[in-house]
Amino acid sequence: MNYKDLADLIFPNAKEISYYEEKYPERNLKEGAEVSRFAPSPTGFVHIGGLYQALVAKEVTKKTDGVFFLRVEDTDQKREVENGVTGIVNSLKDFDILPDEGMISETEEVGDYGPYKQSLRKEIYEAYAKYLIEQGKAYPCFCSTEEVEEIRKKQEAAKIRPGYYGIWAKCRNITVEDAINKIKNGEKYIIRFKSPGREDRKIKHHDIIKGNVDFPENDQDIVIIKADGLPTYHFAHAVDDHLMRTTMVIRSDEWLSSVPLHLQLFQELGFKAPKFAHISPIMKNDNGNKRKLSKRKDPEAAVEYYKQEGIPVVAVKEYLLNIANSTFENWRRANPDKSMDEFDFNLNKMSVSGALFDMVKLLDIGKTVISKMSAEEVYENALTWANKFDEELKEMLKDKDFSLKIFGIERGNKKPRKDIAKWSDIKNSIIYMYDDKFLNSDVSYEFGKINDKAKITNMLKKYLEKYFDLADDKDTWFNKIKDLTEEEGYAREVKQFKQEPEKWPGHVGDVSTVLRVALTGRQNTPDMYEIMQVLGKDSIEKRLKKVIEQ
Ligand code: GLU
């Protein structure tokens, strides 16, 4: 009896690996093209750090005319949720990080290197596990979970490195005969890798992001096929990235310490190892402590959060590029109007340690991004967002012409308004423009410096009677406000006032504020002239009268 008999007994129906090697040939790509992937588990939660990895992989493959694919890693069936793949596919779609190959829905996929869902690749893993067993590089392990736990406890008590290795690997040296007998007797088993490594030897690894790292060799006989017949992450990673012809594995640096094991697996399976680029996690400043963005504690860890808040997709991507490449910021400054797709992404410039997540900066980018959009674009985006998340805004946006006029205020000029960072800001920033909302609400007017009721009433009355004419151009309009200012005994020019402040109780700005607050309920708004043009005569009169009559 030999290893082959054992392998045949365990996997009687597995194909020869040559079948798969031929089925998934080397890709025919140009020199230097990188093949990379995003390989999440369908747990129902897409982490912003995952999106970040996907973006980096997409950038690298795009830049080299390579291939970016989406593989779904669903071998841990306990963690899986219904429609988990859909969530991942949609997130990539939302952020326009489209894979060239892989899963495109819960059940469909595109590309010649599939299946791209690990649970559908069982027979492939079996073929490669069988291949290892045939060569004595993997073996069935009959230890129960309790026995393995027992071993760990002993190691802990003796202060020895934990794990299933060396003398602790009880089933490592079971003879083929014994193993076959046990299996025939119906004993339960899993398959372990027989590590050829030694802990006292070092390996050198060059990581594209982390640089040169030395590790002790792996000597753990890790599980490759679990009791449920599915592979572990480590084994599936080696088999899949080999057969899918991945040239560069871009993944979270939580896997960096597994590199010695992975290199060993590639070696023992006879595969050429890919390059590795381990990305540092996105960090958060938590009261002075730097820690990873946490799925449990931080809402902004979920990609869904950005959608719900309506932070523009482009802003999120720009922000992620910003933390990925420190050169991005200067590039953006020098090229304010270029599409971020033109940025020359450089993997060698990735920061080695984790970047700090900065919401203020992200929202700032959001403001810039939205300020550059046309009224039409703002409208479309706001509507798409409102359709999903805000019924009231959706109603408000029904009158498209009026909405476009509102969004056109201070837009399309050299210094566009920059007060909207995200689509969820929109409602608050335009709600006062709607008569049905504004006139029917209890506005608590805060007039600022001039707050004497009689004075305000008088000013507004005079304005309506003597100065208000919607047909005025902007200069005429403003001169009239200045006339009113003077008539009321305030300084016509701010400059004048600043030179001799004791001479007047206030200046044209204070009078304008009265008008602005009466019209909008706010002291800060975009350009008042433009607002008045959009509101129209009727609405203006009603608004001023509302204050006058109060
Ligand atoms: N499924 C693994 C994870 O979500 C993938 C790691 C990898 O990219 O290889 O962490």
Side-chain angles (χ1 to χ4, degrees):
M1 299 243 221
N2 55 26
Y3 290 133
K4 173 120 188 29
D5 299 316
L6 179 60
D8 280 339
L9 178 65
I10 297 177
F11 297 117
N13 302 319
K15 289 194 174 71
E16 297 274 330
I17 63 166
S18 57
Y19 169 81
Y20 299 106
E21 297 295 327
E22 276 160 34
K23 185 168 176 198
Y24 306 108
E26 289 278 358
R27 290 167 184 270
N28 197 1
L29 296 169
K30 72 167 210 204
E31 174 98 14
E34 300 290 0
V35 179
S36 195
R37 76 298 188 275
F38 179 40
S41 299
T43 58
F45 182 94
V46 182
H47 196 287
I48 185 75
L51 196 76
Y52 180 50
Q53 287 163 34
L55 176 65
V56 171
K58 174 83 189 180
E59 288 290 324
V60 170
T61 54
K62 193 176 74 187
K63 191 176 156 181
T64 59
D65 292 325
V67 177
F68 170 59
F69 65 85
L70 171 63
R71 179 171 72 227
V72 170
E73 307 216 321
D74 59 345
T75 57
D76 186 354
Q77 307 214 304
K78 285 192 293 293
R79 290 173 62 217
E80 226 186 299
V81 297
E82 224 179 302
N83 296 326
V85 182
T86 308
I88 296 163
V89 167
N90 288 346
S91 290
L92 292 182
K93 230 186 246 165
D94 287 339
F95 288 87
D96 196 28
I97 306 177
L98 295 178
D100 306 302
E101 280 176 18
M103 300 306 293
I104 52 165
S105 76
E106 208 63 39
T107 51
E108 298 155 293
E109 60 175 39
V110 289
D112 296 333
Y113 288 79
Y116 294 89
K117 196 178 187 184
Q118 288 182 330
S119 56
L120 301 176
R121 299 173 63 79
K122 205 162 168 244
E123 62 162 42
I124 304 180
Y125 304 122
E126 287 176 358
Y128 283 86
K130 180 172 186 179
Y131 169 75
L132 287 181
I133 296 171
E134 279 169 359
Q135 296 181 61
K137 292 177 177 177
Y139 59 91
C141 168
F142 301 90
C143 291
S144 63
T145 330
E146 292 74 32
E147 279 171 287
V148 174
E149 179 59 17
E150 206 47 48
I151 294 173
R152 198 188 58 76
K153 277 192 188 138
K154 277 192 194 147
Q155 289 165 331
E156 211 167 70
K159 297 198 167 30
I160 299 174
R161 202 160 46 89
Y164 202 90
Y165 63 93
I167 53 158
W168 300 97
K170 267 170 61 182
C171 296
R172 185 182 170 100
N173 296 318
I174 288 183
T175 61
V176 168
E177 283 74 17
D178 279 355
I180 287 177
N181 284 335
K182 279 173 179 285
I183 292 171
K184 285 194 171 154
N185 282 337
E187 281 191 42
K188 296 250 176 304
Y189 61 93
I190 51 170
I191 309 292
R192 284 186 186 271
F193 173 54
K194 196 175 209 169
S195 170
R198 271 181 30 195
E199 216 255 345
D200 58 348
R201 283 194 305 231
K202 289 246 179 296
I203 61 154
K204 284 190 186 308
H205 165 65
H206 179 77
D207 190 87
I208 307 281
I209 294 173
K210 305 277 178 183
N212 291 330
V213 247
D214 287 356
F215 291 105
E217 275 183 10
N218 171 64
D219 66 351
Q220 301 274 347
D221 285 1
I222 59 121
V223 178
I224 57 174
I225 304 284
K226 301 178 292 177
D228 61 6
L230 286 170
T232 52
Y233 165 71
H234 307 294
F235 189 55
H237 151 56
V239 171
D240 291 350
D241 280 316
H242 166 67
L243 289 180
M244 294 176 184
R245 306 293 171 180
T246 303
T247 61
M248 190 186 286
V249 169
I250 297 173
R251 64 183 176 188
S252 146
D253 72 357
E254 70 187 284
W255 298 111
L256 183 64
S257 60
S258 302
V259 164
L261 162 64
H262 295 164
L263 291 176
Q264 212 174 55
L265 282 168
F266 276 93
Q267 170 82 30
E268 295 305 304
L269 284 158
F271 303 157
K272 178 174 184 282
K275 286 169 275 192
F276 287 93
H278 285 96
I279 298 190
S280 313
I282 299 176
M283 310 293 280
K284 172 163 179 140
N285 187 342
D286 188 358
N287 289 323
N289 288 328
K290 214 172 155 183
R291 62 163 174 80
K292 279 189 201 181
L293 261 191
S294 136
K295 175 175 166 175
R296 259 184 323 107
K297 292 188 211 154
D298 312 309
E300 71 271 30
V303 165
E304 198 51 34
Y305 170 84
Y306 302 83
K307 282 201 266 171
Q308 276 167 13
E309 284 291 300
I311 301 176
V313 162
V314 182
V316 176
K317 283 172 74 178
E318 279 223 26
Y319 178 66
L320 292 178
L321 277 183
N322 229 290
I323 51 179
N325 266 194
S326 53
T327 46
F328 183 85
E329 198 157 7
N330 279 338
W331 176 84
R332 178 44 91 209
R333 215 168 288 136
N335 304 284
D337 296 320
K338 280 195 178 159
S339 150
M340 75 181 147
D341 292 340
E342 290 180 54
F343 173 66
D344 194 9
F345 182 82
N346 190 341
L347 198 56
N348 296 317
K349 295 237 164 72
M350 291 280 294
S351 72
V352 176
S353 61
L356 216 49
F357 187 83
D358 183 349
M359 188 54 99
V360 175
K361 171 122 198 188
L362 168 59
L363 294 180
D364 221 50
I365 296 177
K367 285 180 184 165
T368 306
V369 163
I370 296 179
S371 77
K372 290 192 175 139
M373 291 182 176
S374 65
E376 184 82 33
E377 281 175 288
V378 174
Y379 177 77
E380 291 304 337
N381 277 290
L383 185 63
T384 307
W385 182 83
N387 279 337
K388 246 181 132 177
F389 299 107
D390 192 333
E391 200 55 38
E392 188 182 13
L393 180 61
K394 184 175 149 190
E395 275 304 305
M396 285 161 65
L397 296 178
K398 274 215 166 118
D399 185 344
K400 184 170 175 181
D401 287 343
F402 185 55
S403 306
L404 285 179
K405 278 188 201 154
I406 299 175
F407 293 136
I409 293 173
E410 272 192 51
R411 193 168 290 280
N413 52 8
K414 261 213 195 106
K415 268 197 91 195
R417 64 188 286 190
K418 252 187 159 184
D419 56 338
I420 304 169
K422 48 191 186 337
W423 308 121
S424 55
D425 288 346
I426 293 261
K427 186 161 81 184
N428 182 47
S429 76
I430 63 170
I431 197 158
Y432 60 81
M433 296 298 288
Y434 290 78
D435 281 353
D436 59 335
K437 311 258 174 224
F438 185 77
L439 294 169
N440 299 332
S441 64
D442 296 323
V443 186
S444 59
Y445 298 96
E446 304 230 356
F447 283 99
K449 197 158 172 187
I450 305 174
N451 55 20
D452 179 75
K453 174 90 183 68
K455 233 179 219 163
I456 289 169
T457 311
N458 195 35
M459 263 180 201
L460 295 177
K461 264 192 186 155
K462 215 176 258 175
Y463 182 73
L464 272 181
E465 283 157 15
K466 208 168 151 188
Y467 296 109
F468 173 47
D469 183 353
L470 203 59
D472 286 341
D473 63 23
K474 194 167 176 181
D475 285 341
T476 315
W477 166 83
F478 197 41
N479 274 325
K480 285 185 174 174
I481 294 181
K482 285 180 177 175
D483 292 345
L484 172 70
T485 302
E486 225 174 341
E487 208 179 317
E488 292 294 303
Y490 294 83
R492 186 178 179 91
E493 308 288 343
V494 181
K495 225 158 94 199
Q496 253 180 345
F497 179 79
K498 283 202 172 140
Q499 279 161 4
E500 297 173 280
E502 62 293 339
K503 255 178 114 173
W504 298 275
H507 55 72
V508 60
D510 303 315
V511 176
S512 297
T513 298
V514 170
L515 194 55
R516 188 188 304 271
V517 173
L519 284 170
T520 65
R522 300 179 186 194
Q523 292 190 8
N524 290 309
T525 68
D527 187 81
M528 181 159 50
Y529 176 76
E530 290 190 50
I531 289 181
M532 290 173 73
Q533 292 296 316
V534 174
L535 287 177
K537 186 164 183 293
D538 229 38
S539 168
I540 293 171
E541 284 175 355
K542 278 190 201 144
R543 287 167 187 241
L544 298 189
K545 281 183 187 150
K546 181 174 171 181
V547 177
I548 292 168
E549 283 155 17
Q550 254 182 12

